[in-house]
Amino acid sequence: MRESSTDKRTRNHAGTSTHILLCTVLACVALLAGFMLPRGQSTPPALVSTIKEGVTKAQKTVFDDSRTVTLNVSKGAQTKIASAVTGTVTASSCSSDGLLESGKSALSIDSKPQLMLHTSTPPWRDLSSGTRGDDAAALNTELRRLGGGAPDTDTVTWRTLVAFDRIAHEAGIKNNAAAARGSVTRDMFIWLPSTTAKASQCNATTGQQVTQGDTLFTTAANVASAVPANLPPDLAQGSRSIQIGDKQLDVNPDGTGFDSAELLSAIQTSGEYLAADRQSNDSGSTGTVAATLSVSYTWKLKSPVEAFAIPPSAIYDQQAMSACVISDGKPSKVDVIASRLGRTLVTTEDKLGQIAIVPEEPEPCQ
């Protein structure tokens, strides 16, 4: 059948319209792409890889080898704190589970605040100016720790007496004049067995008559010793410190140095120890007999080191802690200090740049 001229014109018009529509769509797509990409750039910078095949950049980091160390903390026996004078208790701030602190007062007798003081040797005599001995040395040591400015000797001097009066005055005691008397007498302070102690019982209440030697407070079992339960075998070399409460104290990486008086005192008042002690008491422990608690703290390198994080496969020729890497196409000697999150941490005297991830036939570096 022969196509009419009218049908031919209709088919040509439809083809032309389809062609125009297709061109229009392509033009719009091109225009939209022009808006999405910056001029003269075919790929956004964020999508351009900066890592060459088989190569990665060494990442600088600060390494403190922070670890959790669990201490086996041994508790001693409870201690009864005795009154140094006879009189009437006129005021008391003692509370169960409250802290008794050396250099402060928690109770007044006959309207006079009673100074609490810890000395490593319990007081057994009056200490007059010129007296020598372990008890005199212990008094000077504690007065220095409290900021009184006592001498670093085993002899009571004028500076000892002035330091004692200064500490007493800071505790609210206005007329405890050791310097005027020329002596620190046994009735001038209440002896504490540690620099801080938790009161488990307040034995003397306001209005109560007490005589010298009567029990004023009973302390909770003090911390007698602390020993690490176990130490990781892969510790980074260097001096370490342990965080106990708000104090950071030096300890040795071999597990020694956990028995200092300062460290044991810090454990005694730390939230971690108090929580473990409460849990032990709730479980049936009376706290009157020796017991051991497991308490965990954070310890780390005292001085963090700068290190580089690289893929483990970049390491070759490792001998103990020493190894080699290829940096910027050249062999470099490194010391392996740790592995963390699939990365090996190394230190080096060289400046590390692009690291060969899997070096092929590398040259020795050591």
Side-chain angles (χ1 to χ4, degrees), residues 57-261:
K57 185 173 179 59
Q59 301 294 324
K60 270 190 176 183
T61 185
V62 175
F63 179 66
D64 63 7
D65 197 27
S66 180
R67 305 290 187 99
T68 296
V69 61
T70 299
L71 303 182
N72 290 331
V73 180
S74 297
K75 300 194 298 181
Q78 290 179 313
T79 303
K80 294 181 178 181
I81 307 301
S83 175
V85 297
T86 296
T88 301
V89 178
T90 52
S92 176
S93 60
C94 176
S95 63
S96 180
D97 284 343
L99 286 182
L100 305 173
E101 299 183 63
S102 179
K104 296 186 178 180
S105 175
L107 177 144
S108 294
I109 296 178
D110 293 345
S111 294
K112 181 180 179 180
Q114 300 296 297
L115 176 67
M116 297 181 294
L117 206 62
H118 162 70
T119 54
S120 57
T121 300
W124 54 274
R125 59 177 174 171
D126 293 343
L127 293 174
S128 302
S129 182
T131 303
R132 299 183 63 180
D134 292 341
D135 50 351
L139 177 62
N140 280 331
T141 297
E142 181 62 5
L143 292 176
R144 284 198 313 277
R145 187 189 74 84
L146 293 171
D152 187 7
T153 67
D154 65 350
T155 304
V156 175
T157 68
W158 173 257
R159 288 175 57 197
T160 304
L161 305 177
V162 171
F164 183 89
D165 285 342
R166 181 179 295 117
I167 299 303
H169 188 273
E170 290 176 356
I173 304 166
K174 309 301 182 184
N175 56 349
N176 210 21
R181 295 186 189 185
S183 176
V184 175
T185 57
R186 294 178 61 188
D187 62 351
M188 296 176 78
F189 67 94
I190 298 169
W191 181 75
L192 290 181
S194 55
T195 57
T196 59
K198 186 175 69 171
S200 62
Q201 186 176 354
C202 301
N203 302 87
T205 58
T206 303
Q208 181 177 337
Q209 292 281 334
V210 295
T211 59
Q212 187 179 33
D214 283 352
T215 300
L216 299 176
F217 321 107
T218 301
T219 69
N222 66 309
V223 172
S225 66
V227 179
N230 50 65
L231 297 176
D234 57 345
L235 287 175
Q237 295 182 352
S239 300
R240 303 185 75 85
S241 62
I242 185 170
Q243 187 73 39
I244 301 178
D246 60 353
K247 294 184 178 179
Q248 189 165 305
L249 305 169
D250 293 347
V251 290
N252 300 321
D254 62 359
T256 61
F258 286 86
D259 55 355
S260 69

Side-chain angles (χ1 to χ4, degrees), residues 61 63 65 67 233-238 301 305-326 332-340 342-349 352 355 365-366:
T61 185
F63 179 66
D65 197 27
R67 305 290 187 99
D234 57 345
L235 287 175
Q237 295 182 352
L301 288 174
V305 298
E306 287 191 355
F308 291 93
I310 62 176
S313 59
I315 299 290
Y316 68 94
D317 284 356
Q318 184 167 356
Q319 301 173 15
M321 302 303 289
S322 181
C324 302
V325 298
I326 296 296
S332 290
K333 183 179 178 180
V334 298
D335 290 319
V336 178
I337 58 173
S339 294
R340 184 172 62 186
R343 309 287 279 180
T344 298
L345 299 183
V346 301
T347 58
T348 179
E349 296 180 357
L352 298 186
I355 303 296
C365 70
Q366 53 187 349

Side-chain angles (χ1 to χ4, degrees), residues 30-48:
L31 182 61
L32 180 60
F35 280 113
M36 292 178 65
L37 292 177
R39 285 185 183 273
Q41 185 169 303
S42 59
T43 307
L47 301 182
V48 177

